[in-house]
Amino acid sequence: MLSLLDLSRRIDAGDLTPAAAIDRTREAIAAREPEVGAFVRVDPAPAVATAGPLAGIAVGIKDIIDTADMPTEMGSPIHAGWRPRADAPVVARLRALGAVPLAKTTTTPFAFMDPTATRNPHHPGHTPGGSSAGSAAAVAAGMLPLALGTQTGGSVIRPASFCGVVGIKPSFRLLPTVGVKCFSWALDTVGLFAAGVADAARALALLADRPGLDLPPTGPGTIRIGLVRQDFCAAPSAAAQQALTRAAMAAERAGASVHDLALPGLFGDAFAVHPTIQGFEARQALAWEYAHHREALPPALRAALDEAQGIETQAYDGARRTAHHARRSLKDVFGDGGVDVILTYSSAGAAPAGLASTGDSRFNRLWTLMGVPCVTVPAGTDDGLPLGVQVIARFGDDGRALAAARLIEQALA
């Protein structure tokens, strides 16, 4: 994989120019893209900045995020060829830092569950996950050092886990969602994919203009980890369970304290209301597409929007109250539970065979609803397909989540 930090070090040392770094990325795309299919388009003649902390870093932009120099098509023929007049703020920030938004990466239509044609770089017969399929696959295949995705259910953490890369879903609204096609305004979160935790931390610190997020790994004896198995939903695969155990043991060897942590029943209730909030908001966010182009919507999304028409306002308001109570109670889980971070599954298992499904987000939805930072770290394989584990911290404590994830990453290595 291409490391953002390695490329930046070589550029800073004068061993590589920003333009040469972009050329190297293009060569990697030419070599791997035919088998992976991660891109909607690649800019044939991008402007390459010669200065800035991300100079020479090519970035993939999920194709629901506006770019002024490339169409933004939402993974749907309904918006084929649509050209925004302006970059989304997160893309404008990348350019200001010297990065090159080089390509638009594939997304499931409107970032829902109908799959793309993108293939898992580790096995072309398996899904890369979704909805940020192209972003995860492009980084995993070594075609990009950094890519943007979004998460409403599990669309950053799960594909990162399936593809064997680091993914971070930051705290809610840490990165702006202006200029991103909305699915659910209470849930949508912009996230990142990178080769390693340190790469992701540097990128997020720069994008959010918060240098404190780029912390060193937590030292021995300074981190308390609560192991959460999320017993209120179906169990993961045996391989996923083994990966979680392996990560917990590695963290303990590195000096962390690890103990089992059971979530109160309220969190099972919150997990259950995520679809109500998502569906009620999606039917409004996609009201124009549903009213004017319903038959052009893919089957899973069309069926979900059909069902969402029946969600009553009282049910939505009740779901929001349940989520609010759970968010407040999560502070007590960290405080009374005596933990700094939670360690849990990134996905129900390795990437499923075939391209008909993007996988199951049951180990992601609760944490998206809570708005807390989540980082997935590769933690082994199952028959050659990657498995990840997920590190979660309190709201706004993204630096601690990244530092703990880096500790686990290094301990597993």
Side-chain angles (χ1 to χ4, degrees):
M1 286 186 277
L2 292 172
S3 166
L4 180 156
L5 290 176
D6 180 61
L7 287 171
S8 292
R9 278 192 291 265
R10 296 183 65 189
I11 291 168
D12 290 343
D15 299 331
L16 195 66
T17 66
I22 299 300
D23 288 342
R24 179 163 295 190
T25 304
R26 287 183 167 287
E27 292 168 5
I29 291 172
R32 294 298 310 272
E33 171 62 1
E35 65 177 299
V36 177
F39 300 112
V40 180
R41 60 182 42 79
V42 178
D43 190 338
V48 180
T50 58
L54 291 180
I57 301 301
V59 186
I61 311 297
K62 184 177 180 179
D63 199 29
I64 62 166
I65 302 174
D66 285 352
T67 46
D69 55 355
M70 291 181 280
T72 301
E73 297 179 329
M74 326 294 180
S76 170
I78 296 171
H79 291 282
W82 183 65
R83 292 293 295 266
R85 290 291 300 273
D87 288 330
V90 70
V91 176
R93 175 67 178 165
L94 282 168
R95 295 193 202 275
L97 292 164
V100 177
L102 182 64
K104 299 304 283 283
T105 57
T106 61
T107 176
T108 63
F110 300 104
F112 194 58
M113 295 166 58
D114 301 271
T116 71
T118 306
R119 297 169 289 282
N120 193 305
H122 296 271
H123 194 301
H126 288 249
T127 179
S131 60
S132 307
S135 290
V139 172
M143 295 189 284
L144 292 172
L146 181 67
L148 300 186
T150 63
Q151 179 159 310
T152 306
S155 294
V156 169
I157 299 300
R158 189 176 74 261
S161 177
F162 284 176
C163 291
V165 299
V166 168
I168 176 166
K169 181 206 76 66
S171 291
F172 186 63
R173 294 292 187 251
L174 181 65
L175 297 179
T177 56
V178 177
V180 180
K181 179 61 174 175
C182 180
F183 197 89
S184 166
W185 54 87
L187 299 169
D188 293 349
T189 309
V190 173
L192 308 175
F193 299 87
V197 177
D199 299 275
R202 178 65 55 81
L204 183 62
L206 289 167
L207 274 172
D209 195 19
R210 288 171 170 82
L213 297 180
D214 193 5
L215 296 171
T218 302
T222 63
I223 184 155
R224 302 165 298 166
I225 298 175
L227 201 58
V228 170
R229 302 184 191 277
Q230 203 167 302
D231 296 331
F232 45 77
C233 64
S237 71
Q241 295 179 56
Q242 291 164 5
L244 186 65
T245 300
R246 185 162 52 246
M249 293 174 64
E252 283 188 313
R253 287 196 300 272
S257 67
V258 182
H259 68 266
D260 287 326
L261 180 65
L263 295 176
L266 174 61
F267 292 92
D269 297 338
F271 170 81
V273 302
H274 175 281
T276 300
I277 294 171
Q278 177 178 279
F280 185 87
E281 295 185 355
R283 86 174 189 213
Q284 296 176 73
L286 297 174
W288 181 83
E289 289 84 358
Y290 185 78
H292 299 281
H293 297 279
R294 180 182 174 279
E295 294 309 311
L297 295 170
L301 177 56
R302 185 168 62 244
L305 292 176
D306 285 345
E307 184 176 356
Q309 306 308 308
I311 299 174
E312 296 182 351
T313 304
Q314 305 94 292
Y316 171 69
D317 290 343
R320 291 177 63 208
R321 283 192 293 272
T322 298
H324 175 70
H325 293 324
R327 290 187 195 107
R328 295 188 64 176
S329 295
L330 190 56
K331 299 176 185 176
D332 298 330
V333 169
F334 282 103
D336 298 342
V339 300
D340 300 306
V341 298
I342 286 168
L343 179 63
T344 189
Y345 310 106
S346 293
S347 63
L355 301 179
S357 165
T358 61
D360 191 305
S361 64
R362 66 180 180 269
F363 292 108
N364 315 122
R365 295 195 295 268
L366 172 66
W367 309 112
T368 307
L369 182 62
M370 294 299 96
V372 291
C374 307
V375 185
T376 183
V377 179
T381 60
D382 180 13
D383 197 24
L385 287 162
L387 294 162
V389 293
Q390 183 175 196
V391 178
I392 297 158
R394 303 170 196 248
F395 177 81
D397 210 359
D398 299 62
R400 189 186 301 272
L402 285 158
R406 197 169 170 193
L407 174 82
I408 292 169
E409 176 187 57
Q410 293 180 348
L412 284 167

